[in-house]
C-alpha cells in the first residue's frame, strides 16, 4: 500500500541497518502514521547493548523507537478519535511484550499504533517538539498515577488547586522528569526536584518550586531541611543514586515513604563478555542492598515499567484525555528541547549513539 523503509536492529550489539520493511495495515483499534520525527530513549541502546538479559521476548531482526510524531495515513475499523491527515504523537510499542513486533517500532516511515496511546497535537506544535513526549510522559505517568506506584491524584486541565503535599522528583531535567514535574503540578502537588544548576531555570519554568543540585555533597541534608513541616507525597527517581538518596530523605520526612524508581541498576559499562551473569549479578546485588536499606529506613520502593500504562487506564487517561486538552490550552509544554541529528533514517545510528553518550535536558531525534 505504502512503500516502507526502516532502520532495523539486526540483533543485540549490532548497528542499525536501513532497508525496506513491510507496510502493516492497522487492526480495528489501531492507526498507522507516516512518521515525521522519531526520538531516541536510553532503552533503545540499553536493549541493544544488553539484549540477552532484558526484554527476552524480542525476536530479531526488529525495529526499535518508542517516540513518534507524524500524520495519520490509515485508521482501523473501530477508531473514532482520528481520521486520515490528523497530526498526532504516539507511544510506539515494539518492545512491549503484548504488542511486540517490528511494525510497532518508531524507526521506520510507517508505524502501527494503538488509538488510545495516541494524542492529537495542535497545528502550532512541530513534529519535532511533539516527539519529545511519549515515553518520558508514559514513564512519568506510570510512576505518579498507577495504583501500585505513587498512586497520586490525576492531573487536570486547568491545573488542580494545591493539595498541600510535596513530591520529590529526583532527576527533574531528564525527559521523564520534565514531564513528571508538569503532571504533578497539574495534579495539585508542590514539586521539589534535582538537576544541574544550568537546568534550574528550565525545571522552575515547568512548575518546580525548589531545585537542588544532585551532585552537591549536601543535597540530602538540604532537601531534608527544606521539607521540614511539609507532608511528602513520596518520590519519583531517575538516574543512578536517586533511590538511595531519596530513601535517606524520606526516612526523615512526614508523609508517604514510597519511591517509584525509573532507573534500573545496570553495569557501568556494558560487558563485552558474560553479559547475562554480570547483568544479573549487578541487579541482584543492588536489590539486596536496597532491600536492607528499605527495611531499615521504613521506605518502600518499586520499579516502574512504562508500558504497563497501556492496559491499566493510565495511558488512556494521559494520551486520550489529558494531553490533547492540555496542549491545546497551552497547559503543558514540550520539554526538553529536541536535538535533531539529521533528516532521514540514515541518521538513526548516530542519534542512538548521541543519546548513549549522554545528554543534558535535550531529546535526541531524527526528522523524516
Ligand atoms: N522504567 C521505565 O519504564 C523507564 C522508561 C523510560 C526511562 N527510564 C529510565 O529513566 C531514566 C531517565 O530517562 P530519560 O530518557 O528521561 O533520560 P535522559 O533525558 O537521557 O536524562 C538526561 C538527564 O539525566 C540527568 N542525570 C544524569 N545523571 C543523573 C543522576 N545520577 N541523577 C539524576 N539525574 C541525572 C542529567 O541532568 P543534568 O543535565 O541536569 O545534570 C540529564 O539532563 C533513565 O535511567 C532511563 O533508563 C525508565
Amino acid at each position: 500500500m505504502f512503500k516502507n523503509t526502516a532502520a532495523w536492529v539486526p540483533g543485540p550489539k549490532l548497528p542499525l541497518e536501513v532497508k525496506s520493511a513491510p507496510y502493516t495495515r492497522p487492526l480495528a483499534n489501531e492507526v498507522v502514521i507516516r512518521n515525521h520525527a522519531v526520538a531516541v530513549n536510553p532503552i533503545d541502546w540499553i536493549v541493544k547493548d544488553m539484549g540477552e538479559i532484558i526484554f527476552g521476548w524480542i525476536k530479531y531482526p526488529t525495529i526499535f523507537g518508542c517516540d513518534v510524531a507524524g500524520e495519520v495515513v490509515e485508521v482501523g475499523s473501530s477508531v473514532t478519535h482520528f481520521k486520515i491527515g490528523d497530526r498526532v504523537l504516539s507511544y510506539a510499542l515494539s518492545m512491549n511484550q503484548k504488542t511486540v513486533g517490528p511494525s510497532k517500532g518508531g524507526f521506520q516511515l510507517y508505524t502501527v499504533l494503538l488509538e488510545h496511546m495516541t494524542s492529537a497535537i495542535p497545528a502550532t506544535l512541530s513534529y519535532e517538539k511533539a516527539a519529545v513526549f511519549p515515553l518520558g510522559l508514559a514513564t512519568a505517568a506510570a510512576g505518579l498515577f498507577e495504583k501500585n506506584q505513587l498512586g497520586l491524584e490525576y492531573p487536570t486541565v486547568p491545573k488542580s488547586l494545591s493539595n498541600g503535599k510535596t513530591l520529590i522528583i529526583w532527576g527533574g531535567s531528564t525527559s521523564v522528569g520534565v514531564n513528571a514535574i508538569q503532571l504533578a503540578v497539574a495534579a495539585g502537588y508542590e514539586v521539589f526536584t534535582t538537576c544541574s544548576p544550568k537546568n534550574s531555570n528550565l525545571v522552575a519554568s515547568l512548575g518546580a518550586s525548589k531545585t537542588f543540585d544532585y551532585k552537591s555533597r549536601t543535597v540530602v541534608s538540604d532537601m531534608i531541611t527544606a521539607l521540614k513541616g511539609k507532608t511528602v507525597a513520596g518520590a519519583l527517581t531517575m538516574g543512578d543514586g536517586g533511590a538511595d538518596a531519596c530513601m535517606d530523605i524520606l526516612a526523615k520526612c512526614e508523609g508517604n515513604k514510597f519511591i517509584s524508581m525509573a532507573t534500573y541498576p545496570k553495569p557501568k559499562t556494558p560487558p563485552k563478555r558474560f553479559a547475562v551473569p554480570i547483568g544479573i549479578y549487578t541487579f541482584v546485588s543492588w536489590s539486596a542492598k536496597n532491600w536492607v536499606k528499605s527495611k531499615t529506613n521504613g521506605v518502600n520502593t518499586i520499579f516502574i515499567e512504562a508500558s504497563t500504562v497501556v492496559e491499566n487506564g493510565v495511558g488512556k487517561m494521559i494520551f486520550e484525555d489529558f494531553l490533547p486538552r492540555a496542549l491545546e490550552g497551552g497547559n503543558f509544554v514540550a520539554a526538553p528541547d529536541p536535538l535533531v541529528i539529521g533528516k532521514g533514517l540514515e541518521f538513526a545510528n548516530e542519534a542512538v549513539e548521541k543519546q548513549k553518550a549522554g545528554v543534558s535536558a535535550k531529546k535526541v531525534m531524527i526528522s523524516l
Side-chain angles (χ1 to χ4, degrees), residues 41-43 46 135 139 170-177 194-196 198-199 214-215 238-242 261-264 266 304-307 336 355 359-363:
N41 288 282
I43 198 69
I46 292 173
L135 184 60
T139 311
W170 191 280
S173 58
T174 63
S175 281
V176 179
T194 67
C195 60
S196 290
K198 65 181 171 185
N199 291 323
Y214 63 97
K215 292 176 193 141
M238 280 68 67
D240 294 333
M261 306 178 294
T263 298
Y264 286 65
K266 58 177 186 320
I304 299 167
E305 168 44 55
S307 65
Q355 165 28 254
V359 290
S360 178
K362 287 275 181 283
K363 193 84 194 178

Side-chain angles (χ1 to χ4, degrees), residues 234-246:
L236 176 76
T237 61
M238 280 68 67
D240 294 333
D244 206 41
C246 285

Side-chain angles (χ1 to χ4, degrees), residues 186-208:
Y189 295 84
E190 179 184 45
V191 172
F192 285 9
T193 195
T194 67
C195 60
S196 290
K198 65 181 171 185
N199 291 323
S200 296
N201 288 343
L202 168 69
V203 297
S205 74
L206 301 174

Side-chain angles (χ1 to χ4, degrees), residues 14-64:
L14 296 172
L16 308 181
E17 277 174 14
V18 178
K19 53 186 188 188
S20 68
Y23 173 86
T24 305
R25 302 200 63 183
L27 298 178
N29 62 342
E30 294 175 337
V31 301
V32 180
I33 72 167
R34 164 62 164 89
N35 295 315
H36 288 294
V38 184
V40 184
N41 288 282
I43 198 69
D44 295 317
W45 53 264
I46 292 173
V47 176
K48 204 155 77 67
D49 284 353
M50 312 277 299
E52 304 94 330
I53 307 173
I54 45 173
F55 299 177
W57 52 82
I58 292 175
K59 301 269 178 288
Y60 296 90
T62 191
I63 300 165
F64 286 170

